[in-house]
């Protein structure tokens, strides 16, 4: 099965990889997020123009070229005129500038020249434009030094190379920052663990642990692997997984995750998942996939760079020809042509998308949202309807006491007696009654002569009285009195689709207890928030009509579908999707086909096992409110990307004509230096605008 996003343009993007064949194509299709890539890639998507480069290389070259630029600026006649000073006249000082400029051109500009060489074999873009601008400036300046009449462009060439190196250093560092997240995740797991063998503790390598091994985790230690607590209780910090720094209380039977930090208690843990199956390994794989996945807007930025390059070359050539024809002299004509090339350099365009993506991914991870596919994250802004699976998503997936009606006994006593008997039973409804008593801090009484009657319930003696707790039908079978008030209460409970349990003594029914799958507190808030965002809410459940109707009414859901079989969920999502772009929120295990089918698959309730191949986003914290957060963040991210594309290219509308000399008759002329300044300012604006994404107020 595959996403059928007919209304989304991304399938034409060669970088898009469908879910099903994602793994196989990762290596062949997409750039490797590793810092040092192999030289010689001929691809042109994303950051492949940096093949073989690293942020350190750009940083080193930037600082060396900056130092070499200072003497060039000092000896520049224009700077001497501007700042009214006289440069010292050393023997051969007129050769200092050309020699330093040659070093800057070859040393600082090499990355761009090499990038342009790769681009010329495929699709021209940013590197071609930069290489062209610096080469024209360098060759012309050298010609002037050797006797051609005119003014050289040495200082413009040097500052342009500096600005470009700085920008590419920032760009690569920002992209590599995401890769560093992987290294940090890998560092979370200690290398050694304390294995318990026949009562002895031995320190062994984590890689040698197998399922069912028992390990000891001392207070304050990092948990090395996924497992289940068999002994002990403690509080555990799972911030790396959920973004939530508050420690989570863990006791016997609870699951712990490799990478979390143990608090004050010692724990004995039985290993449940090893190697690639551990939560941390899966998160690392998801992060890696997200980094490698193509961004639709990055493809748009590359397309813009391509057109800008063509426009720059076209306008530059035209400018040169027109000014030469107007007898303005060769120097003036070349000066104008180079200025057009310099100002059109879409450098900010290189930063426009990566910086936004880095910030968006960081904000997602901080809030427990794992983005599996950037392209899908971008698609989230179009969502107009969101469908939720009921059990485990909108509800807790466990029963709780909703109502109690009593006759001839008070509510507290009825609950005490019922819970005291049910505490000896394993039945989930019984456990829900015990849970309610614990919640109300009721002290349970020791029951004697306890007996479980299959298909009926439990019976026993509490406070020297015989009681039964079980199905309502049991009362009929025993011919006990069923007070009319309680019978009415029972009908109400059944009409709401809740499960009923009755408390009986030897004469009559004493209490009727209504139990239902408990609604998540955050689900109510999530639905309200989605309505504020004008997104239609839908609930899909396999439960009966009465249950679905009650939950939908309580949460304020727009429409619901009851008695939907798991295999029919995907068909239903396809139908909803035909009406408007639809997201589906499910638990990722039995909802895989529906998650696949939706325009945006959001897996929730992944708990600690995030092996979810079918979802686009994974909500680690089991919180339906995070689904609304993800949609808000996607919208904010989209806005920032569009703003950045505008800021990084918009200035050219004014800049190119001015650089070409259109306003020269009015005495306005844009020099290459001012062109480089314009370009630098747009780069700074784009960077700051991307950082502002972190200030987006997400109602959380």
């Amino acid at each position: 099965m595959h996403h059928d996003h007919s209304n989304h343009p991304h399938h034409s993007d060669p970088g898009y990889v469908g879910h099903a064949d994602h793994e196989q194509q990762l290596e062949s299709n997409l750039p490797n997020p590793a810092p040092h890539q192999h030289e010689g890639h001929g691809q042109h998507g994303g950051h492949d123009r940096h093949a073989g480069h690293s942020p350190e290389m750009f940083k080193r070259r930037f600082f060396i070229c900056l130092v070499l630029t200072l003497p060039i600026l000092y000896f520049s006649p224009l700077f001497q005129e501007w700042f009214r000073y006289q440069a010292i006249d050393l023997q051969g000082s007129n050769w200092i500038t050309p020699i330093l400029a040659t070093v800057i051109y070859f040393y600082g500009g090499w990355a761009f020249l090499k990038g342009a060489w790769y681009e010329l074999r495929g699709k021209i873009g940013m590197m071609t434009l930069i290489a062209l601008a610096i080469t024209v400036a360098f060759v012309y300046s050298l010609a002037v030094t050797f006797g051609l009449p005119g003014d050289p462009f040495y200082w413009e060439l040097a500052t342009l190379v500096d600005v470009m190196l700085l920008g590419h250093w920032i760009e690569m560092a920002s992209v590599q920052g995401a890769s560093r997240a992987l290294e940090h995740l890998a560092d979370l797991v200690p290398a050694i663990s304390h294995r318990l063998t026949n009562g002895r503790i031995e320190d062994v390598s984590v890689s040698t642990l197998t399922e069912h091994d028992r390990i000891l985790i001392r207070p304050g230690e990092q948990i090395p692997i996924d497992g289940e607590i068999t002994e002990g209780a403690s509080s555990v910090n799972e911030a790396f997984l959920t973004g939530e720094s508050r420690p989570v209380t863990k006791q016997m039977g609870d699951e712990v995750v490799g990478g979390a930090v143990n608090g004050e208690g010692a724990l004995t843990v039985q290993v449940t998942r090893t190697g690639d199956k551990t939560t941390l390994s899966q998160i690392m794989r998801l992060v890696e996939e997200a980094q490698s996945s193509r961004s639709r807007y990055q493809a748009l930025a590359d397309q813009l760079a391509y057109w800008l390059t063509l426009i720059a070359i076209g306008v530059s050539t035209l400018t040169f020809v027109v000014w030469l024809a107007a007898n303005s002299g060769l120097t003036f004509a070349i000066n104008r042509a180079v200025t057009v090339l310099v100002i059109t350099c879409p450098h900010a365009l290189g930063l426009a998308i990566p910086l936004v993506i880095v910030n968006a991914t960081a904000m997602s991870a901080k809030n427990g949202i794992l983005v599996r596919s950037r392209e899908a994250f971008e698609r989230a802004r179009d969502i107009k309807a969101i469908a939720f699976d009921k059990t485990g998503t909108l509800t807790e997936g466990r029963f709780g006491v909703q109502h109690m009606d009593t006759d001839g006994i008070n509510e507290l006593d009825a609950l005490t007696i019922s819970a005291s008997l049910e505490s000896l039973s394993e039945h989930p409804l019984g456990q829900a009654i015990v849970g309610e008593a614990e919640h109300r801090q009721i002290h349970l009484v020791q029951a004697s002569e306890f007996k479980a009657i299959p298909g009926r319930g439990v019976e026993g003696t509490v406070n020297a009285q015989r009681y039964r707790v079980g199905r309502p039908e049991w009362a009929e079978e025993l011919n006990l009195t069923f007070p009319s008030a309680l019978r009415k209460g029972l009908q109400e409970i059944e009409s709401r689709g809740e499960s009923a349990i009755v408390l009986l003594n030897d004469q009559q029914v004493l209490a009727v207890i209504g139990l239902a799958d408990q609604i998540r507190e955050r689900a109510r808030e999530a639905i309200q928030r989605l309505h504020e965002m004008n997104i239609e809410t839908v609930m899909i459940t396999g439960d009966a009509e009465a249950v679905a109707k009650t939950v939908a009414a309580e949460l304020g859901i727009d429409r619901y579908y009851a008695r939907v079989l798991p295999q029919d969920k995907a068909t239903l999502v396809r139908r909803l999707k035909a009406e408007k772009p639809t997201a589906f929120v499910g638990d990722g295990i039995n909802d895989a086909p529906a998650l696949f089918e939706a325009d945006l698959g959001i897996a929730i309730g992944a708990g600690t096992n995030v092996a979810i191949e079918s979802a686009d986003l994974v909500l680690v914290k089991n919180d339906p409110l995070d689904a609304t957060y993800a949609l808000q963040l996607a919208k904010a991210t989209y806005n920032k990307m569009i703003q950045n594309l505008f800021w990084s290219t918009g200035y050219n509308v004014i800049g190119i004509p001015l650089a070409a000399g259109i306003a020269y008759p009015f005495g306005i002329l844009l020099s290459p230096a001012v062109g480089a300044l314009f370009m630098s300012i747009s780069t700074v604006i784009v960077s700051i605008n991307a950082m502002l994404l972190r200030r987006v107020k997400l109602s959380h």
Side-chain angles (χ1 to χ4, degrees):
M1 198 183 295
H2 208 287
H3 276 299
D4 170 28
H5 306 302
S6 47
N7 54 340
H8 295 295
H10 63 264
H11 271 269
S12 58
D13 176 0
Y16 173 75
V17 181
H19 289 312
D21 48 1
H22 203 135
E23 306 264 353
Q24 291 82 354
Q25 292 191 32
L26 270 176
E27 293 307 312
S28 55
N29 257 34
L30 299 163
N32 183 337
H36 298 276
Q37 297 168 330
H38 301 296
E39 307 244 358
H41 284 207
Q43 299 153 299
H44 310 286
H47 305 286
D48 289 281
R49 56 176 174 274
H50 295 319
H53 303 152
S54 70
E56 288 69 34
M57 186 271 289
F58 278 113
K59 180 184 176 181
R60 188 173 59 249
R61 292 189 185 216
F62 165 68
F63 281 113
I64 291 171
C65 289
L66 188 63
V67 170
L68 297 178
T69 302
L70 296 175
I72 295 177
L73 296 178
Y74 173 72
F75 286 111
S76 158
L78 193 63
F79 267 63
Q80 291 183 50
E81 192 185 312
W82 280 355
F83 297 106
R84 300 200 176 125
Y85 67 90
Q86 185 73 44
I88 50 169
D89 193 12
L90 300 167
Q91 194 180 359
S93 62
N94 53 336
W95 284 102
I96 292 174
T97 297
I99 289 166
L100 291 177
T102 304
V103 173
I104 287 173
Y105 173 73
F106 284 107
Y107 177 68
W110 186 248
F112 308 113
L113 297 170
K114 196 167 73 168
W117 174 248
Y118 289 136
E119 283 187 351
L120 289 169
R121 293 186 298 183
K123 186 177 183 182
I124 60 172
M126 247 171 268
M127 292 300 198
T128 310
L129 196 47
I130 299 166
L132 198 61
I134 61 173
T135 302
V136 169
F138 175 65
V139 171
Y140 175 71
S141 301
L142 222 50
V144 169
T145 299
F146 286 107
L148 184 81
D151 301 314
F153 290 142
Y154 287 124
W155 81 266
E156 287 93 339
L157 160 72
T159 50
L160 178 58
V161 169
D162 293 346
V163 168
M164 288 306 171
L165 287 170
L166 173 64
H168 284 262
W169 168 31
I170 293 170
E171 178 185 359
M172 284 210 73
S174 73
V175 172
Q176 204 192 50
S179 302
R180 289 255 162 78
L182 278 180
E183 292 161 33
H184 292 322
L185 282 176
D187 292 345
L188 282 175
V189 179
I192 300 294
S193 65
H194 319 301
R195 185 165 63 190
L196 295 167
T197 321
N198 304 326
R200 275 197 356 261
I201 297 174
E202 51 180 353
D203 284 357
V204 297
S205 163
V206 172
S207 56
T208 62
L209 291 175
T210 58
E211 280 184 38
H212 308 304
D213 273 353
R214 286 169 70 245
I215 57 172
L216 173 71
I217 298 147
R218 296 188 175 114
E221 284 186 340
Q222 202 115 30
I223 295 167
I225 202 158
D226 294 10
E228 192 177 291
I229 298 172
T230 56
E231 206 179 302
S234 184
S235 58
V236 171
N237 186 330
E238 295 179 342
F240 87 95
L241 178 73
T242 60
E244 184 71 62
S245 55
R246 253 186 320 211
V248 185
T249 307
K250 300 278 183 181
Q251 52 205 38
M252 221 172 105
D254 287 344
E255 198 170 26
V256 290
V257 194
V261 180
N262 184 23
E264 68 290 343
L267 298 174
T268 304
V269 169
Q270 185 169 5
V271 177
T272 53
R273 281 190 291 271
T274 58
D276 291 344
K277 295 198 197 99
T278 64
T279 303
L280 200 63
S281 303
Q282 289 166 29
I283 288 179
M284 285 170 70
R285 185 172 52 75
L286 290 185
V287 172
E288 208 162 351
E289 280 176 20
Q291 283 170 24
S292 319
S293 65
R294 274 297 261 140
S295 159
R296 267 199 289 176
Y297 299 102
Q298 185 60 56
L300 178 61
D302 290 345
Q303 193 66 27
L304 279 171
Y306 169 71
W307 284 109
L308 268 176
T309 308
L310 294 185
I311 291 166
I313 294 167
V315 174
S316 178
T317 310
L318 185 66
T319 302
F320 179 72
V321 171
V322 168
W323 285 116
L324 211 54
N327 291 326
S328 298
L330 185 65
T331 308
F332 188 82
I334 289 181
N335 203 321
R336 292 300 92 223
V338 171
T339 306
V340 168
L341 284 176
V342 169
I343 199 166
T344 318
C345 261
H347 185 250
L349 201 51
L351 287 174
I353 305 303
L355 284 182
V356 175
I357 284 175
V358 165
N359 282 298
T361 311
M363 282 184 75
S364 303
K366 197 170 136 202
N367 288 276
I369 299 166
L370 293 174
V371 179
R372 264 201 81 201
S373 153
R374 287 176 182 173
E375 175 275 332
F377 185 59
E378 289 158 8
R379 209 162 58 227
R381 71 175 192 91
D382 299 320
I383 296 300
K384 296 284 180 286
I386 186 161
F388 291 90
D389 170 52
K390 180 185 81 75
T391 310
T393 304
L394 296 174
T395 61
E396 301 272 4
R398 55 189 174 84
F399 281 86
V401 172
Q402 305 286 49
H403 303 277
M404 260 185 96
D405 292 308
T406 58
D407 187 280
I409 188 172
N410 70 40
E411 193 174 294
L412 209 59
D413 289 344
L415 190 58
T416 306
I417 295 162
S418 305
S420 298
L421 282 171
E422 290 289 9
S423 65
L424 303 168
S425 153
E426 293 297 311
H427 197 282
L429 293 181
Q431 288 307 304
I433 293 172
V434 176
E436 179 68 14
E438 282 174 5
H439 177 65
R440 296 200 198 181
Q441 295 178 331
I442 292 172
H443 185 66
L444 299 186
V445 183
Q446 183 68 46
S448 57
E449 298 169 40
F450 175 81
K451 205 157 69 172
I453 316 290
R456 305 281 187 281
V458 295
E459 62 181 26
T461 303
V462 178
N463 298 336
Q465 284 256 16
R466 190 133 190 89
Y467 292 102
R468 295 182 177 90
V469 182
R471 297 174 59 190
E473 291 81 0
W474 203 7
E476 311 285 344
E477 288 169 23
L478 297 167
N479 289 322
L480 300 180
T481 311
F482 207 134
S484 58
L486 294 189
R487 202 176 281 281
K488 192 165 172 258
L490 177 65
Q491 283 167 353
E492 273 176 32
I493 286 168
E494 285 172 346
S495 74
R496 282 195 297 267
E498 295 172 1
S499 301
I501 291 276
V502 292
L503 170 66
L504 321 165
N505 63 11
D506 291 334
Q507 289 80 40
Q508 68 163 79
V509 177
L510 296 170
V512 177
I513 305 168
L515 297 123
D517 190 357
Q518 286 182 299
I519 287 172
R520 284 182 190 274
E521 218 22 73
R522 310 276 280 195
R524 203 172 268 112
E525 208 178 322
I527 301 298
Q528 193 182 333
R529 190 76 40 78
L530 289 166
H531 285 153
E532 286 165 16
M533 292 162 70
N534 291 326
I535 292 172
E536 185 186 11
T537 52
V538 181
M539 183 178 78
I540 299 174
T541 178
D543 270 345
E545 175 78 21
V547 178
K549 190 176 178 180
T550 306
V551 174
E554 200 162 325
L555 288 173
I557 284 172
D558 298 318
R559 52 178 161 154
Y560 65 87
Y561 296 88
R563 292 209 180 283
V564 180
L565 298 171
Q567 59 269 32
D568 296 337
K569 280 183 189 171
T571 318
L572 182 54
V573 168
R574 194 179 304 134
R575 246 176 44 217
L576 292 168
K577 194 171 80 168
E579 294 172 28
K580 54 179 87 168
T582 302
F584 179 75
V585 185
D587 66 10
I589 297 145
N590 57 10
D591 293 330
L595 286 165
F596 248 138
E597 193 59 57
D599 290 308
L600 181 72
I602 303 175
I604 188 177
T608 46
N609 185 10
V610 289
I612 293 157
E613 298 305 323
S614 41
D616 297 310
L617 304 180
V618 179
L619 307 181
V620 182
K621 272 193 285 199
N622 271 6
D623 187 346
L625 200 56
D626 283 344
T628 68
Y629 176 84
L631 296 186
Q632 281 179 298
L633 188 57
K635 282 197 168 88
T637 301
Y638 167 78
N639 291 339
K640 284 282 172 248
M641 285 178 172
I642 296 302
Q643 286 163 16
N644 271 5
L645 289 179
F646 168 77
W647 280 114
S648 57
T649 54
Y651 73 95
N652 284 314
V653 177
I654 301 162
I656 292 175
L658 285 179
I662 202 165
Y664 183 53
F666 309 106
I668 300 169
L669 203 57
L670 214 59
S671 72
V674 178
L677 187 68
F678 255 45
M679 193 192 60
S680 309
I681 290 169
S682 99
T683 305
V684 171
I685 290 173
V686 160
S687 307
I688 292 170
N689 193 36
M691 294 305 286
L692 288 176
L693 183 65
R694 289 175 182 258
R695 300 187 60 141
V696 169
K697 284 280 172 279
L698 292 143
S699 29
H700 200 42

